Amino acid sequence: MTPQRMHMANSYDPSAARSTLPPSAAALLERRERVLGAPYRLFYEEPLEAVRGEGALLFDAAGRDHLDVYNNVPAVGHSNRRVQQAVADQLGRLNTHTRYLTHEVVDYAERLTALFPPHLQQVVFCCSGSEAVDLAMRITEYQTGADGWLVTRHAYHGTTRAAAAVSPSLGPNNPIPRHVVLVDAPDQLREDPAGIERAFAARVTDGIETLRQRGTALAGLLVDSCLSSDGLQLDPAGWLRSAVDVVHRHGGVYLADEVQPGFGRLGTGWWGFPRHDVAPDLVVLGKPMGNGLPISAVMGQPSLFDRFGRDVRYFNTFAGNPVCIAAASAVLDEIEDRDLIPHAAEVGRHLLDELRRLTADDERIGEVRGSGLFVAVELVRDRAGRAPDAGAAAFLVNELRRRRVLISASGRDGNVLKLRPPLVFGHRHAERFLTEFSAALSVLGAPG
Amino acid sequence: MTPQRMHMANSYDPSAARSTLPPSAAALLERRERVLGAPYRLFYEEPLEAVRGEGALLFDAAGRDHLDVYNNVPAVGHSNRRVQQAVADQLGRLNTHTRYLTHEVVDYAERLTALFPPHLQQVVFCCSGSEAVDLAMRITEYQTGADGWLVTRHAYHGTTRAAAAVSPSLGPNNPIPRHVVLVDAPDQLREDPAGIERAFAARVTDGIETLRQRGTALAGLLVDSCLSSDGLQLDPAGWLRSAVDVVHRHGGVYLADEVQPGFGRLGTGWWGFPRHDVAPDLVVLGKPMGNGLPISAVMGQPSLFDRFGRDVRYFNTFAGNPVCIAAASAVLDEIEDRDLIPHAAEVGRHLLDELRRLTADDERIGEVRGSGLFVAVELVRDRAGRAPDAGAAAFLVNELRRRRVLISASGRDGNVLKLRPPLVFGHRHAERFLTEFSAALSVLGAPG
């Protein structure tokens, strides 16, 4: 594993032997490598050829189902019929941009803002989380006149140049500029829970001082409300509060990245930031918003949007188009009508409890943590030393894939299993996962 | 009109009286202003409420049709049935990302690359033209180790921070950094045609020297193959050739922005760059690619993609998803099966001829130029002085809108009418346009 590739915990190695692939997948892979550029990566030692999806299942070319315990984008289920119908209906009626009046985007914007605290009363739509992060940064910098950012050490916020500059998880060849300072994320397994809030605020204070020493003023703190790529650091809820106070005292903006926690993922409500009892100045939404149709958003208040809007403006041809909006509306319908947030809380709680029970005496499991349908299993060499074991995580990811269960790994050391299924993941899916996980654990050797 | 707003030639003034709006549109506008952020702008003195589209027509809330002579995104027509069916079918089957093997994206990538010269044999998909420009710039800079860019003086290439930095048409509050040098675009109306190629190459040479003086090496020349936002500068075909030679001699990359000219718009083939007999190193595609579904692409060769891909990689959650790919495939089907490229050539030629005939003796019309279904009408105070007349252009845009014909204006001075309808625009649409344009001209007074 080369140093570059370590930064994607779970990628297919194109130089590996292909004998394990079914012939049709091997042929498709050959064609793919010819025509898609080198930036593309596949998951797993044995890549999956996906031909059909349904609920929490993905089917391969031979018709075998694979349990999807990874994909957060199809939150209301693969091939969701309500999303399909809403998109098809709208495509037969109108699809245009926001320089005409169209009621669809206004209806949805009203519905979306109503799910936020009253101060977050306006929205600007984009196509991807990256675009939304990029725009939120531009708005913040225009408003504050500063360009210094604090982000966590293994953060991922996107792939435009501006978003990549605040995404150290992209690896050593993605340079982090001097006006971006990395702050160690909380580490639930290794830090004293009682001190996490104070310690993180102290690191943020230090970060602002580092920016100052570099001659840069603070624009803001950009942070994923559940620290997905820093290994899912959730508790104690509230650890973010003092850091946000520090940022506000220094005139900075608190920009909440809700691309991962948003839309009910954590089972505690629509968004992740309220768990910390904090009030973001701007919020970025993405991934599950349209169940796979490209749509994202920046939520904010007129005091932040107005000057940028008046002086600079922003137009994005595809953003807020009625078709992607129709998908996003259907997603809200599904989450509400099927009670998917309490469902995520309940199934997630069961999964968490059972995983803890299953691994209670397993020295290789440092911690099982989670909220709703976002669960992390942290692999260590032993519980006393708590040294990260990325090899064990990679083994389990690939062993589960052979057992037709799809997960991935994340975290600064690549040793944290990431369980993040569609929200329609039910108890029967949880049972299947637990059975296969138990079997995979049983073939995982002692730390090597 | 404030200095800021001048840079959008054709926007609704929110402070204007709303008495002309139908009550339903006025109510919708009130709601919209509350919930969509200030960056949003509407077209026209009297904004259009669009509720339905069909072919080259947009219908308002009262059921009145408006002739769409502006929207290039729905290239194969508003509410195209083939696109609708393809998207609906795919949404019922599978929609996921490119870290699984899926044949849809490979099939389409093969089909797309086959429409390019053999050296442009690979593709990376994104969601918007902005994302594609942003990525192409990152790839170029990683490969060349330089970050100096040349773009035309009124260029528009997108709205991510990196793309906005090369988009001077966004106006005075969108700062252009020192590593970006603006080069005057050719001006068909005011320059000697025989000297345009040499003069532009000389300005590019000067631009490279300016970069050098600023301590910046040349990364590349980024140019829209038909200079849409510089007022549509098309002829003489070939004017770009010597400039590209200069860039290559200086080790720079020629990045062709085909977001506007691409997919048959110019009637001369699939893309705009072959009119100049040049070979781009990278090409960016967007707008009409998915008929409104968010999809864009960077085309290139392994020599440019490989190192960036290996060292940095690129993943975009929504990009290359099978649903947007299905839309893009249906667009190719429609363009091919309905012969839309020769159709655009034929209808565009008729439109050009008739507009020239109609305005032959009109001192206010400096020039009518175009290719395929992209036609520009340049308004001047008189033909001898050729001074731009933005007021006349704005008058005609709004007068035509009252006559239910939708166009816009562009160009450095906002004095160039932009006619750029869906490619399904037919002869009967052209006749309707010519009738209304003639009527609008008849109420346009002498230059004031």
Side-chain angles (χ1 to χ4, degrees), chain A residues 50-234:
Chain A
V51 303
R52 188 164 71 81
E54 189 72 46
L57 299 175
L58 278 172
F59 295 83
D60 68 13
R64 290 173 303 194
D65 69 0
H66 292 65
L67 183 65
D68 186 353
V69 197
Y70 176 74
N71 285 298
N72 54 345
V73 171
V76 299
H78 289 284
S79 307
N80 180 286
R81 295 291 173 257
R82 196 168 188 170
V83 172
Q84 180 192 27
Q85 194 62 53
V87 166
D89 287 352
Q90 188 62 49
L91 263 175
R93 198 159 53 238
L94 180 72
N95 195 28
T96 190
H97 54 78
T98 53
R99 283 182 167 163
Y100 305 121
L101 281 167
T102 54
H103 74 87
E104 293 86 354
V105 68
V106 176
D107 293 345
Y108 179 76
E110 287 177 343
R111 203 171 160 190
L112 184 65
T113 51
L115 299 174
F116 282 86
H119 76 285
L120 296 167
Q121 67 196 261
Q122 291 191 326
V123 55
V124 179
F125 294 102
C126 303
C127 295
S128 67
S130 296
E131 282 193 345
V133 165
D134 193 297
L135 175 62
M137 291 175 69
R138 286 179 71 203
I139 290 172
T140 300
E141 295 177 24
Y142 197 78
Q143 183 71 27
T144 61
D147 73 345
W149 287 94
L150 302 180
V151 294
T152 54
R153 188 155 314 268
H154 201 64
Y156 174 76
H157 296 291
T159 54
T160 66
R161 182 156 57 200
V166 289
S167 296
S169 69
L170 290 174
N173 293 311
N174 173 65
I176 303 301
R178 280 177 60 79
H179 64 87
V180 177
V181 165
L182 307 186
V183 175
D184 281 325
D187 184 334
Q188 278 187 231
L189 177 58
R190 295 171 188 85
E191 282 185 88
D192 172 14
I196 280 187
E197 180 179 0
R198 205 183 43 203
F200 187 68
R203 296 197 291 270
V204 163
T205 303
D206 290 349
I208 296 170
E209 174 58 20
T210 303
L211 284 173
R212 199 192 60 74
Q213 287 166 6
R214 293 180 184 175
T216 304
L218 176 68
L221 168 70
L222 166 56
V223 61
D224 173 346
S225 309
C226 68
L227 289 179
S228 319
S229 61
D230 286 281
L232 196 66
Q233 310 293 340
L234 291 158

Side-chain angles (χ1 to χ4, degrees), chain A residues 31-32 40-41 48 50 53 84 88 93 98 101 107 110 125 128 131 134 138 141 159 161 287 317, chain B residues 31-32 40 48 50 53 84 88 93 98 101 107 110 125 128 131 134 138 141 159 161 287 309 317:
Chain A
R31 290 170 53 207
R32 175 178 151 119
Y40 282 89
R41 294 285 189 287
L48 172 67
Q84 180 192 27
R93 198 159 53 238
T98 53
L101 281 167
D107 293 345
E110 287 177 343
F125 294 102
S128 67
E131 282 193 345
D134 193 297
R138 286 179 71 203
E141 295 177 24
T159 54
R161 182 156 57 200
K287 294 202 193 296
T317 302
Chain B
R31 290 170 53 207
R32 173 177 152 121
Y40 282 89
L48 173 66
Q84 180 192 28
R93 196 160 54 238
T98 53
L101 282 167
D107 293 344
E110 289 177 343
F125 293 102
S128 67
E131 281 193 344
D134 194 296
R138 286 179 71 205
E141 294 176 24
T159 54
R161 183 157 55 199
K287 295 200 194 295
T317 301

Side-chain angles (χ1 to χ4, degrees), chain B residues 95-142:
Chain B
N95 194 27
T96 190
H97 53 78
T98 53
R99 282 179 170 165
Y100 305 123
L101 282 167
T102 52
H103 73 88
E104 294 87 352
V105 68
V106 176
D107 293 344
Y108 179 75
E110 289 177 343
R111 202 171 161 191
L112 184 64
T113 50
L115 300 174
F116 282 87
H119 76 286
L120 296 167
Q121 65 196 264
Q122 292 190 325
V123 55
V124 179
F125 293 102
C126 302
C127 296
S128 67
S130 296
E131 281 193 344
V133 165
D134 194 296
L135 174 62
M137 290 174 71
R138 286 179 71 205
I139 290 171
T140 300
E141 294 176 24
Y142 196 78

Side-chain angles (χ1 to χ4, degrees), chain B residues 260-306:
Chain B
Q260 299 257 1
F263 294 97
R265 168 65 43 191
L266 302 183
T268 50
W270 285 93
W271 321 112
F273 67 82
R275 291 181 79 246
H276 294 289
D277 190 24
V278 288
D281 301 296
L282 291 167
V283 175
V284 168
L285 307 177
K287 295 200 194 295
M289 191 169 177
N291 215 49
L293 274 283
I295 182 168
S296 66
V298 182
M299 315 296 302
Q301 48 196 323
S303 65
L304 273 166
F305 285 147
D306 280 358

Side-chain angles (χ1 to χ4, degrees), chain A residues 278-299:
Chain A
V278 288
D281 301 296
L282 290 167
V283 175
V284 168
L285 307 178
K287 294 202 193 296
M289 191 169 179
N291 214 49
L293 273 284
I295 181 168
S296 66
V298 182
M299 315 294 303

Side-chain angles (χ1 to χ4, degrees), chain B residues 332-383:
Chain B
L332 295 189
D333 290 339
E334 286 284 87
I335 293 175
E336 287 170 354
D337 295 353
R338 296 169 69 179
D339 288 325
L340 289 178
I341 300 177
H343 169 86
E346 187 204 317
V347 177
R349 167 50 58 192
H350 175 70
L351 194 60
L352 203 59
D353 289 347
E354 290 300 302
L355 279 169
R356 283 174 174 158
R357 199 179 54 74
L358 196 67
T359 61
D361 300 321
D362 195 325
E363 277 287 311
R364 301 162 302 185
I365 306 298
E367 186 173 54
V368 180
R369 55 183 177 263
S371 181
L373 281 169
F374 207 156
V375 173
V377 179
E378 180 155 1
L379 279 295
V380 293
R381 298 183 64 82
D382 58 67
R383 284 183 171 172

